[in-house]
Amino acid sequence: MTGPISRPPRRSALLRATTVVAAVVPLCTAGWFGWRALDHSDPAAATTAATAAPPSAAAQSGAAPPTGQAPATPGAPPTSGTPAGGAPTGNAPTATPTETAPAGLAGRTVVLDPGHNPGNFSHPTEINRQVDVGNGHKECDTTGTETNAGYTEADYTLDVSRRARALLTARGAKVVLVQDGDRPWGPCVDERARAGADAHADVAVSVHGDGGPASGSGFHVIMPAKVVAGKADNSAIVEPSHRLGLLLRDSFHAATGEPYADYIANEGLDTRSDLGGLNLSAVPKVFIECGNMRNSADARRMTDPQWRQQAAQGIADALTAFLTTH
Ligand code: ZN
């Protein structure tokens, strides 16, 4: 989820600042409703989420994937790089042994940004600190959303990012995760944005799951609008990020069968100017909202480790295409 997760007055200020970008409003609204349902209308649930053990061992370990989790579009072939008959079965997101062209991405560096952090729930003071994103201020980081069963977005994004890292590493890339479950909270969105430059990366992707209205489903990719304001100037990355966004939209759809979002964006694509992770990035970067965790069908898919492997495949294939076609 990349909508604002903040106190209502702050949301109002944010909306005032962003209403010039009409496309921003629906996701802010969707994110806000997701936030209200998750974090405020049921404080007890939020407390539980903040303190409980990881919510779904099966979901995290891959030990017991739900049945009947074939891709929503059975005819959609996996994209290049998928091993034959390659439904992954293992728990750990390791590279499949039949992965081909291991040196295809040698010398290239990819930053994967797993959205949020499982520890954010217990560090509200730290993550609510305001940071400068060039054209305004945003919370350092947010808790993200979760499914009704309590599978958190932060756990989802970290798992998929690790799976994508394994695939890309097998193809020869150096992969840097902005956070790898190795820090108590965050990092802040401005640090996430800097990670691409810090790693001298060629490209970056931020992985999320959305917290939209329960009736809406599907995935979408968020590309950077040009922002030249304050310390932000992302003009150099707008065009290549758009190219990356199209590749990611197509690869993710092919790998997972997930439809384009029907409640936000247009044909699976959105452009935003309010995300620090895009405003402040010096390398081509997009966000992907892999599905709507508040929707039961999407939640079922996102909780399935086999589907998450397909999601990682789609992300890895898009990055591979991006790095090998220009
Ligand atoms: Zn998110």
Side-chain angles (χ1 to χ4, degrees):
M1 181 163 64
T2 55
I5 301 178
S6 59
R7 299 175 186 85
R10 188 172 297 152
R11 172 182 176 267
S12 298
L14 176 65
L15 279 183
R16 282 197 300 275
T18 56
T19 44
V20 293
V21 182
V24 167
V25 176
L27 184 54
C28 287
T29 304
W32 182 63
F33 282 123
W35 158 79
R36 281 192 65 182
L38 176 63
D39 288 339
H40 274 234
S41 59
D42 186 357
T47 300
T48 300
T51 57
S56 171
Q60 292 188 23
S61 70
T67 56
Q69 289 298 310
T73 306
T79 48
S80 62
T82 302
T89 56
N91 296 346
T94 53
T96 49
T98 54
E99 189 73 24
T100 56
L105 299 180
R108 313 306 295 270
T109 299
V110 173
V111 162
L112 296 175
D113 175 19
H116 317 280
N117 182 316
N120 282 358
F121 285 100
S122 52
H123 290 86
T125 302
E126 290 88 346
I127 68 169
N128 285 333
R129 178 172 69 84
Q130 296 284 296
V131 297
D132 184 352
V133 299
N135 58 358
H137 287 76
K138 296 287 289 279
E139 289 76 18
C140 153
D141 204 9
T142 54
T143 59
T145 188
E146 65 183 20
T147 68
N148 284 337
Y151 182 50
T152 67
E153 181 186 358
D155 285 323
Y156 171 85
T157 65
L158 189 53
D159 180 83
V160 169
S161 297
R162 286 170 169 168
R163 291 172 186 272
R165 174 176 60 187
L167 293 167
L168 291 163
T169 300
R171 296 174 189 175
K174 176 185 177 184
V175 180
V176 176
L177 259 60
V178 171
Q179 58 91 5
D180 193 11
D182 52 355
R183 50 192 301 163
W185 54 271
C188 296
V189 293
D190 53 345
E191 183 179 342
R192 291 175 186 268
R194 286 196 304 271
D198 290 347
H200 304 289
D202 298 289
V203 63
V205 169
S206 188
V207 180
H208 288 260
D210 205 8
S215 59
S217 64
F219 82 98
H220 68 286
V221 173
I222 305 171
M223 304 177 294
K226 179 179 175 179
V227 175
V228 181
K231 66 177 186 178
D233 181 356
N234 67 359
S235 14
I237 70 158
V238 169
E239 186 281 328
S241 298
H242 184 78
R243 191 168 72 82
L244 172 64
L246 293 173
L247 289 168
L248 182 54
R249 192 268 310 263
D250 293 348
S251 287
F252 192 84
H253 181 62
T256 64
E258 180 76 1
Y260 303 153
D262 59 11
Y263 65 99
I264 188 83
N266 180 25
E267 296 292 308
L269 297 171
D270 200 359
T271 303
R272 289 176 57 171
S273 62
D274 65 314
L275 299 176
L278 298 180
N279 293 0
L280 302 174
S281 181
V283 307
K285 183 175 183 180
V286 298
F287 281 48
I288 182 164
E289 299 278 5
C290 297
N292 177 15
M293 300 188 83
R294 308 304 302 159
N295 173 272
S296 59
D298 278 1
R300 187 168 60 249
R301 285 189 281 269
M302 297 172 82
T303 305
D304 175 3
Q306 292 194 18
W307 191 90
R308 292 201 298 273
Q309 185 67 22
Q310 294 169 343
Q313 189 79 48
I315 293 167
D317 287 348
L319 288 162
T320 301
F322 179 84
L323 292 170
T324 55
T325 57
H326 81 295

